[in-house]
Amino acid sequence: MATLLVVAAAQAAEPPVSLPEISVTGEALNAETEGTGSYTSPAATLFGKLPAPVKEIPGSVSVITRQVMDDWNMITLQDALSQATGVTAIPNDGTQAQYNSRSYGMNVMFNGIPSYNALSGSQQFDLSVYDRIEILRGTAGMLTGTDPNPGGTVNLVAKRARKTFGASATASYGSWANTRGVADVTGPLNADGSLRGRAVVSSQHNNYFYDHASGDRKLAYGTLEYDVTPDTTLSVTAIVQRDRASPFYGIPVYSTLAIPNTPRSFNPVAPWAKNHTDSYEQDIGLEHRFDNGWVAKAQARWWERKFRFNDGYASSSINPATDTVSYSKRDSTYNYVRQNLDMYVGGPFTLFGLTHNAVVGYNRERYLSNNAGGTAPVLTNIPLFGIENSRAWEEPAIAATSGGKSETFQEGGYGQLRLKIAEPLTLVGGGRLAYFTTKSRSIPPSRPTGWVQGARRDGEFVPYGGVIVDATREVALYASVAQIFIPQTTTDHTGRTLDPRYGTQYETGVKGAFLDGRLNASLAVFQIEDTNRAYADAAHPGYYLQMGEVRSRGVDAEVTGSPLPGVELTAGYSYLFNTYVKDATSQGMNFSNWFPKHSVKLLAMHRIQDGPLEGFNYGAGVTAVTRTGGNGSNAALVQDAYAVVNAQIGYAFSKTLSVSLTGNNLFDEKYFAALGRSTNTYNTYGTPRNVMLALTAKL
């Protein structure tokens, strides 16, 4: 994981970067984090498209900067979001994960373009292509309209081509033969820099800590920017990533909900199992900057993923009398295509002697999915301990017997207005008029069928409102209310499809930007009301009422940036409590125990800037969470609180060459990164103690 870390270490001999004072008016505010050397960002773009100071966004926003990713060897999105305040990453199969915040899943945007249901359970690009990761915790319907996940939004912002030449190369080697190389080159392609480009390539091969499993990933990223005029820029980007990996789904537990005493390396997935993923993305954008500070931008995105999984896995809990399981084998292929368009215009304007901001735009997405696959007959009475000598380890030829096709389409117009009512008071209002529809059909080798209408909603208005009060020059108080809608497909006894679920969030908090913007801090209290949930109709079995409600409450606190010269840190605390307010069978019970009630996350780095140890850097990180476990019938599957400690030391020989050594899980804490979601999968151990040595050269 240390492949990008040493880029930061090479900067150890350079003076710390002082961030400029932030202003919400006129001049464009730069939200890019690459090269700042900072663990914080002066601005974010996921709220309202245009860069806005984090202190002046009336919601809980975190930014994982390029420096954080570099210092802490973050290669995958799971690496990064595992360290984000208030976010829980639950591994799925060793190659991707599910991401949750405030009791719910999260949504995703790519360079500000919303993408439906494209985060959890989906393979993501290597982090080497990104400048920063912006995170908004809580509902964000103004941005995305609808998504099955009201827990928050992640915006992945790619690196851009530079007008000045720069290059870096990193080679690393670590535990379980984890070998990785990354190269990144950018600069002007003509004399005046009006044409510039950037290329990033990475290659990684690794074994996993569990038996008979390995991974191989290769990525190529290229982007070009051309200034058609001094105020108009055309950009094109292409990404290709090839993943070959052995899946891992965790260990089954006994039907009594006892956890078997297995080593962390135990892997019941067949050794021939494979996940093959090929991902492609192409983007084109056109941006024009007006003299009055306004910006007009249009972006189009095409994305395709080809995915095959061929595996054998334990498909039941363990029989406590015989130590046996059922075993399933399958072979399926999926092809996904997303076509996105986003356009907006926005900027500042003056009214009554004060400066305000407005954004108005439109976006749309068409998401297509095709699949075909088959399964082998389920094997029974397979001995879990000694499984390698059983029928489970035999690889069958599996023919495709079923196929399906689905299409999801959404579009909407959105707008946001920031009105400076008085010098200390800003009102923020906005919304989205959303349209959403899904349909599906069977295709060969299944018997073909016509299209079947799924969830649909036309002209749903999703509002947002907030207020910001500048208590002092450094501190702002805020309150906001936000909403998202989630279409449903279940019906009541009359045959009418239930209205959508609504996730409504109320939040209030305080934010501060200190030390000339080098240190940001925030504290928020929130409540999410998930209403209109399908509620079993006791009078009409098999039908539902719109009566269900879940409530999620909590507190988030975060400090990021540089409190002292040479020191960078990000520290976060979250408290979360959720309950069924109205439910046919679970009223008054916890909605989810999968997420810890309390969590603390800390990453800190110190770069020695003078004296005999000048050039050295060292850091430490801690993730600590309270009791977590299963829900419902799996509620007895729990684990106690645990803490994982990481550390790093590095040395910059010069401004161009550096080395680092990183240790993760230093005390070899044995814990579950996921536990209790099912009795045959998801019970996945966290990674044991491991180390990584990395060398970086840069120009």
Side-chain angles (χ1 to χ4, degrees), residues 543-562:
Y543 296 98
Y544 296 86
L545 303 172
Q546 295 178 184
M547 294 176 57
E549 181 178 346
V550 166
R551 179 178 297 145
S552 178
R553 292 172 170 171
V555 176
D556 286 338
E558 184 176 80
V559 177
T560 60
S562 179

Side-chain angles (χ1 to χ4, degrees), residues 278-349:
D278 295 311
S279 303
Y280 310 89
E281 181 175 329
Q282 299 173 19
D283 302 81
I284 184 168
L286 185 65
E287 177 181 289
H288 181 75
R289 299 165 293 279
F290 297 91
D291 292 339
N292 61 359
W294 277 61
V295 174
K297 187 172 184 178
Q299 301 177 83
R301 175 178 182 259
W302 175 86
W303 172 97
E304 181 178 12
R305 175 160 295 142
K306 299 177 180 179
F307 174 49
R308 178 194 177 195
F309 64 88
N310 175 209
D311 57 20
Y313 65 99
S315 52
S316 73
S317 58
I318 310 169
N319 184 326
T322 61
D323 280 343
T324 59
V325 296
S326 296
Y327 208 81
S328 296
K329 302 177 184 182
R330 56 189 178 176
D331 193 349
S332 296
T333 58
Y334 285 80
N335 190 74
Y336 307 106
V337 174
R338 296 181 185 272
Q339 302 162 341
N340 300 85
L341 176 67
D342 182 83
M343 55 185 69
Y344 66 88
V345 59
F349 63 95

Side-chain angles (χ1 to χ4, degrees), residues 382-526:
I382 299 297
L384 183 65
F385 310 111
I387 192 171
E388 65 276 5
N389 299 316
S390 72
R391 294 172 296 160
W393 250 227
E394 299 171 359
E395 181 177 5
I398 301 175
T401 56
S402 63
K405 184 175 185 177
S406 66
E407 179 178 334
T408 301
F409 177 79
Q410 65 170 337
E411 64 178 338
Y414 57 88
Q416 183 188 99
L417 185 63
R418 298 176 63 96
L419 292 176
K420 196 80 170 177
I421 302 301
E423 197 54 48
L425 177 63
T426 301
L427 298 182
V428 182
R432 177 184 179 91
L433 189 63
Y435 296 81
F436 177 88
T437 183
T438 64
K439 60 182 180 180
S440 60
R441 62 182 299 188
S442 295
I443 60 174
S446 292
R447 181 179 179 180
T449 64
W451 287 104
V452 176
Q453 181 68 51
R456 179 168 184 165
R457 199 67 178 174
D458 293 329
E460 182 80 23
F461 181 69
V462 185
Y464 178 88
V467 58
I468 306 165
V469 179
D470 295 325
T472 69
R473 181 173 177 272
E474 293 85 11
V475 177
L477 308 175
Y478 74 90
S480 63
V481 57
Q483 193 175 83
I484 197 169
F485 76 95
I486 305 165
Q488 303 189 96
T489 56
T490 52
T491 61
D492 63 18
H493 74 280
T494 69
R496 184 184 68 88
T497 300
L498 299 189
D499 290 339
R501 285 168 51 199
Y502 291 97
T504 305
Q505 175 178 272
Y506 305 91
E507 179 172 324
T508 185
V510 57
K511 293 185 176 185
F514 308 100
L515 304 178
D516 294 327
R518 295 191 302 274
L519 187 72
N520 286 331
S522 63
L523 174 66
V525 179
F526 67 87

